[in-house]
Amino acid sequence: MTLNPDQEQLFTDPSPGSNTVFVNERVSFQTENHQRLILVQGVVFSHYSLQDRAAEAYSLVKLFESGYADQNDLARCFGYSARTLRRFQQRLQSGGLNCLARPRGRPSGRPSQSQLLSPRDRTILQLKTHAMSNRWIAGRLGLSEKMIRKCLRRLGWTDPSQSEPALFQAIDSPSGAVHPSPDSIRPKASAASPHVPEVKQKPRLQQDLAQSCDRDPLDRSMDRLMAALGLLEDAPPLFAPARNLPRAGVLLAVPLLLASGLLPMAEKIYGSLGPAFYGLRTTMVAYVLLALLRIPRPEALKEHSPGALGRIVGLDRMPEVKTLRRKLTRLAAAQGGYRLGQEIARRRIQERGRVMGFLYIDGHVRAYHGKHTIAKAYVTRARLAAPATTDYWVNDKRGDPVFVVTAEANASLTRMLPIMLGEVRQLVRRKRRVTVVFDRGGWSPKLFRELLAANFDVLTYRKWRTRRINQSRFRRHKAKLDGRKIEYLLHDQPVRFLQRKLRLRQVTRLGVHGHQTPIITSRWDLPAIVVAYRMFERWRQENFFKYIKAEYLIDALADYQIEPDDPHRSVPNPARKALEKEMRRTRSQLEKLRARYAEATLGSRSHPHPRPTKKETRALRSAIERVQARLKELQRQHHSLTPRLPLAEARQGEVAVKLATERKHLTNVLKMVAYNIESDLVQLIRPHYKRAEDEGRTFIQSALQDAADLEPTSDELHIRLGFVNK
């Protein structure tokens, strides 16, 4: 078969030229007149000049990143080493094409300030600056002493070598950076800052290393290295001068945070988190200050600059999401949240016992929307029973929280009151009578008798219907309580319960529209207007729930962990519940049939109908009899079933679980401390701000969010708020 000349051009000689070099079976390149052409399976991959070193490096990186050739084959054919190709790849990933255009050879001389050093080089320089020997640095970094000498020579280190220092050599702090301990920023006790105790702490490793090893407050690499080596348990605060630092006004809360006793109590309970840059003190301070800045969850830190927040607490960076969550998880594993809350409550009661004469107790329901099957509770805002967890809070006379307890399986207030008051009795002197204020959920005359025997007084609303009192028997009462003028129409009378064995006092208030609100109490010594005022002051606790839910995100799920529930816990029989639902449906059906039968037999004057036939009447009567028989059978089955069962029997085939409470309880305690700090700040400005009752918290919140100037000295930190500068 012969081909014409045009067809012969289609079948050219496939043999390569003399200037073609094959890297492998797919990649080859040709070089001619200082130009290079790289082919991949015969297709042009790149074309560049031999003088363009960056273009060649980029082509080689793309070849082995695309999987067309191996680094060793490319290095052999193009005259490089495999290490050089890896260096090309690192430069391209870190700095782009500009980094590939670096001149050949190592840079000589001391690096300039604008030149970026690697973390290892920066660490070596910092250690050498602190008079560490080459052998000591090599041993800590896992390198040879020769490598350290070469690095120092490359970096231009000219300081003469010194002898190996002691491991805990004291290092002086520079004049431009100050690292006061928490005690050094505590103000002196005065009328403006009450209750500032002296905290005695046992010596720890981080207190032995009180001075930071870093000279630059914005670069704490040395302290991080010491923590990694196990020589630091918590980084000391190191403040740098700042002008108009955002959110630095939150440092106003530091003196009150120290006065709360949170830090020494946390150290007493948890001890230490081990060697770490972010230790126990930093974690506690950071979480409380973040809550005051309205960053109540670690996940919300993604929206803020870690560097700017870190400068507020004297660190180069605030702990970020994963770090803070990991610290909280480790603290929760120690199971010390309940004890921490009790210690804080005991300290607060000792310092502010005058506001503990009246204690408000109520439950707050946190709805759960996850996939696990947990106990249900009645959610008032949704008006239905839903999976939820109930927290019972104890608040003082001003409405500030004292402590919180998570109820087991959403127990009612009548079941939780003895438990809560048992905790109160451990915090308050046994001989002191405390008046407990609660709503109708705790109504139980039998419980009242037990509380009176335990040296508690009760104050609550009366439940169920009562006989109305003639309006002519009400008297007008006036008084000035807590700086406010109060005026009520009240009626005072004694009442008896439990077959006249329990004698209590009933104070009834007459409303504007004639509504009567009866109040039951065991306090016979108080005027009627004081009894009514303290009962109606429950709005303080309700406002607390509303405020802390909106501002501190108290309903947020702390984690997704679950733990086994008590399999022997008594729960309502689910079979009886299903029968009750069927009985309600059957009763409704019976009522409809009876209504149809009455309408058919008696008729209606407004809508006359023809009389039904005897057959239709008998059919309705038979249907009614069948439904009645069905209802009796359901009632018989309902009475035969046990009202309550152990949880394991009620949920056959299911694993009984409940939400893990320790981490949520710990975060509740820390948010409670933040709320109390805010309340104490409001009390400090109350004598100087006329609208403190209405706008005090708004004013304090604005001050905490305000920018400020930081001026550190040798032993103090001066803070000047932005609105003061204005």
Side-chain angles (χ1 to χ4, degrees):
M1 179 178 179
T2 59
L3 301 176
N4 57 36
D6 295 335
Q7 292 176 333
E8 289 181 355
Q9 294 179 1
L10 298 176
F11 299 94
T12 57
D13 187 7
S15 58
S18 59
N19 57 349
T20 300
V21 177
F22 285 92
V23 179
N24 53 27
E25 63 275 6
R26 292 189 296 178
V27 181
S28 62
F29 66 90
Q30 299 177 4
T31 306
E32 185 176 356
N33 296 330
H34 301 287
Q35 299 290 324
R36 180 162 289 172
L37 183 68
I38 299 178
L39 305 172
V40 176
Q41 294 182 344
V43 180
V44 176
F45 182 80
S46 64
H47 178 215
Y48 56 88
S49 172
L50 292 180
Q51 298 177 355
D52 192 348
R53 186 170 179 266
E56 184 174 62
Y58 178 78
S59 301
L60 297 180
V61 170
K62 288 303 177 183
L63 278 174
F64 63 75
E65 283 187 348
S66 302
Y68 295 136
D70 183 74
Q71 283 186 347
N72 296 325
D73 295 337
L74 292 173
R76 183 184 67 255
C77 297
F78 284 86
Y80 294 98
S81 65
R83 182 178 179 182
T84 301
L85 296 186
R86 287 193 295 270
R87 190 180 297 115
F88 286 160
Q89 184 182 21
Q90 293 173 359
R91 291 175 183 172
L92 182 63
Q93 292 175 352
S94 61
L97 292 174
N98 292 332
C99 291
L100 294 178
R102 291 177 56 186
R104 294 182 180 273
R106 289 182 178 272
S108 59
R110 187 179 181 86
S112 62
Q113 295 293 333
S114 61
Q115 197 170 5
L116 182 63
L117 296 177
S118 65
R120 190 184 70 177
D121 292 343
R122 189 183 300 111
T123 302
I124 293 175
L125 284 177
Q126 289 177 343
L127 291 173
K128 200 62 182 174
T129 302
H130 294 301
M132 300 299 181
S133 67
N134 295 348
R135 183 180 303 173
W136 192 90
I137 298 174
R140 291 300 182 269
L141 299 183
L143 302 175
S144 64
E145 186 178 358
K146 181 179 179 181
M147 176 62 70
I148 299 299
R149 288 198 301 270
K150 292 177 62 177
C151 290
L152 292 174
R153 191 182 308 116
R154 173 172 55 84
L155 296 173
W157 178 258
T158 57
D159 204 0
S161 60
Q162 301 177 2
S163 60
E164 182 173 344
L167 186 60
F168 300 108
Q169 181 177 356
I171 302 171
D172 294 334
S173 174
S175 58
V178 180
H179 36 76
S181 64
D183 291 341
S184 65
I185 57 177
R186 181 190 296 117
K188 295 182 179 179
S190 62
S193 58
H195 310 301
V196 182
E198 292 295 332
V199 180
K200 295 182 179 181
Q201 301 180 0
K202 58 182 179 180
R204 306 186 68 86
L205 182 58
Q206 67 267 30
Q207 294 171 359
D208 295 336
L209 293 175
Q211 302 293 329
S212 173
C213 296
D214 289 299
R215 296 182 179 272
D216 185 2
L218 304 182
D219 184 5
R220 304 296 296 274
S221 302
M222 185 62 188
D223 286 337
R224 293 181 184 274
L225 175 63
M226 300 297 284
L229 298 175
L231 304 178
L232 185 66
E233 291 189 3
D234 204 341
L238 181 62
F239 293 93
R243 292 291 178 267
N244 202 28
L245 182 62
R247 300 183 181 87
V250 76
L251 290 174
L252 286 172
V254 172
L256 293 174
L257 174 60
L258 296 172
S260 68
L262 173 65
L263 301 183
M265 293 174 189
E267 183 179 353
K268 176 182 177 182
I269 294 172
Y270 295 104
S272 171
L273 294 180
F277 183 77
Y278 301 110
L280 178 64
R281 176 190 54 79
T282 301
T283 302
M284 293 292 179
V285 172
Y287 198 92
V288 173
L289 295 186
L290 290 176
L292 290 170
L293 290 174
R294 299 309 187 263
I295 309 176
R297 300 184 67 186
E299 289 76 11
L301 283 170
K302 300 176 182 177
E303 304 173 4
H304 302 271
S305 170
L309 292 177
R311 297 186 65 180
I312 297 175
V313 294
L315 300 175
D316 55 347
R317 292 178 67 87
M318 182 69 79
E320 299 187 44
V321 179
K322 292 178 63 176
T323 302
L324 192 55
R325 287 183 64 90
R326 186 169 61 251
K327 299 296 181 182
L328 291 176
T329 301
R330 186 167 182 179
L331 290 173
Q335 299 291 319
Y338 174 78
R339 184 183 171 192
L340 178 64
Q342 292 299 103
E343 293 294 333
I344 293 176
R346 179 176 288 105
R347 185 187 184 97
R348 191 167 183 85
I349 289 176
Q350 291 175 354
E351 297 175 353
R352 296 167 175 83
R354 63 184 182 279
V355 297
M356 302 298 169
F358 290 86
L359 292 181
Y360 296 91
I361 300 180
D362 199 4
H364 178 70
V365 178
R366 296 183 288 110
Y368 172 70
H369 306 284
K371 62 181 180 180
H372 299 291
T373 303
I374 65 172
K376 292 185 177 181
Y378 183 76
V379 184
T380 305
R381 53 186 175 272
R383 296 186 178 181
L384 53 83
T389 303
T390 305
D391 297 327
Y392 283 93
W393 292 78
V394 177
N395 296 60
D396 60 19
K397 185 170 62 176
R398 296 189 316 199
D400 296 335
V402 180
F403 66 91
V404 58
V405 174
T406 301
E408 288 289 338
N410 300 312
S412 62
L413 184 57
T414 54
R415 291 180 56 191
M416 291 299 298
L417 268 176
I419 300 175
M420 303 287 289
L421 296 182
E423 301 292 341
V424 171
R425 186 53 68 192
Q426 295 180 5
L427 302 174
V428 183
R429 297 192 309 271
R430 183 171 298 275
K431 295 183 179 181
R432 180 178 180 181
R433 293 192 70 87
V434 178
T435 302
V436 185
V437 188
F438 49 92
D439 61 4
R440 293 179 179 88
W443 174 265
S444 173
K446 293 182 180 179
L447 177 62
F448 298 163
R449 185 167 57 182
E450 296 177 4
L451 298 183
L452 292 175
N455 208 21
F456 286 99
D457 288 304
V458 297
L459 179 60
T460 183
Y461 295 111
R462 183 167 182 174
K463 198 174 182 181
W464 314 123
R465 292 183 179 180
T466 58
R467 181 179 299 178
R468 290 184 60 83
I469 302 173
N470 194 313
Q471 294 188 7
S472 61
R473 302 179 63 183
F474 287 87
R475 298 290 180 266
R476 189 172 301 276
H477 296 256
K478 298 181 180 180
K480 188 174 183 180
L481 303 174
D482 294 340
R484 294 187 296 169
K485 294 182 179 180
I486 307 298
E487 182 177 348
Y488 297 135
L489 285 173
L490 302 175
H491 175 264
D492 195 352
Q493 66 179 8
V495 291
R496 292 184 178 274
F497 301 95
L498 301 178
Q499 300 178 354
R500 305 184 64 82
K501 296 180 181 179
L502 178 62
R503 183 173 180 267
L504 296 174
R505 179 186 183 188
Q506 176 175 314
V507 178
T508 307
R509 177 194 177 188
L510 179 63
V512 178
H513 302 288
H515 178 73
Q516 297 183 7
T517 306
I519 302 170
I520 298 297
T521 183
S522 59
R523 294 290 299 270
W524 298 88
D525 57 322
L526 296 178
I529 190 171
V530 177
V531 172
Y533 175 75
R534 291 304 173 193
M535 186 70 245
F536 298 140
E537 282 292 276
R538 279 197 67 256
W539 64 266
R540 291 183 181 273
Q541 191 177 33
E542 299 296 338
N543 284 353
F544 161 75
F545 288 143
K546 182 178 179 181
Y547 185 84
I548 202 171
K549 175 185 174 183
E551 300 293 335
Y552 290 92
L553 208 60
I554 201 67
D555 284 351
L557 193 64
D559 56 16
Y560 302 93
Q561 301 298 322
I562 58 175
E563 57 188 15
D565 201 351
D566 182 12
H568 303 291
R569 178 170 59 85
S570 176
V571 297
N573 192 340
R576 282 175 62 98
K577 186 176 180 180
L579 283 176
E580 290 170 357
K581 183 178 180 181
E582 181 65 20
M583 288 167 60
R584 289 192 297 268
R585 190 186 67 81
T586 306
R587 288 193 184 98
S588 176
Q589 183 182 1
L590 181 60
E591 293 297 329
K592 292 179 181 179
L593 288 174
R594 286 175 174 174
R596 287 175 54 190
Y597 182 79
E599 183 180 358
T601 55
L602 301 178
S604 175
R605 293 181 180 180
S606 59
H607 299 285
H609 295 283
R611 290 184 66 84
T613 62
K614 291 183 179 181
K615 183 177 180 181
E616 293 175 347
T617 304
R618 286 195 301 268
L620 283 174
R621 191 181 300 113
S622 300
I624 291 174
E625 291 175 355
R626 288 195 302 269
V627 174
Q628 287 177 339
R630 172 63 178 165
L631 182 58
K632 289 182 180 179
E633 177 62 22
L634 291 175
Q635 291 175 345
R636 186 190 64 80
Q637 295 178 10
H638 183 266
H639 291 310
S640 64
L641 293 176
T642 306
R644 302 183 72 86
L645 290 175
L647 181 61
E649 297 182 15
R651 296 184 184 177
Q652 294 182 358
E654 297 183 13
V655 180
V657 297
K658 63 179 180 180
L659 296 181
T661 60
E662 178 61 27
R663 180 169 171 179
K664 180 60 180 176
H665 188 84
L666 175 60
T667 55
N668 283 348
V669 169
L670 296 179
K671 291 178 181 179
M672 181 180 67
V673 172
Y675 181 90
N676 287 333
I677 289 174
E678 188 176 306
S679 299
D680 293 342
L681 289 173
V682 173
Q683 292 299 321
L684 290 176
I685 67 170
R686 190 176 296 276
H688 314 285
Y689 187 50
K690 294 183 179 180
R691 298 188 56 83
E693 185 68 26
D694 300 324
E695 301 175 358
R697 291 192 178 274
T698 304
F699 178 82
I700 292 300
Q701 183 177 348
S702 301
L704 296 177
Q705 296 278 354
D706 196 12
D709 296 342
L710 302 184
E711 299 178 2
T713 63
S714 58
D715 58 350
E716 293 180 350
L717 177 63
H718 297 270
I719 306 168
R720 187 176 182 85
L721 295 180
F723 70 84
V724 176
N725 296 333
K726 296 175 184 177

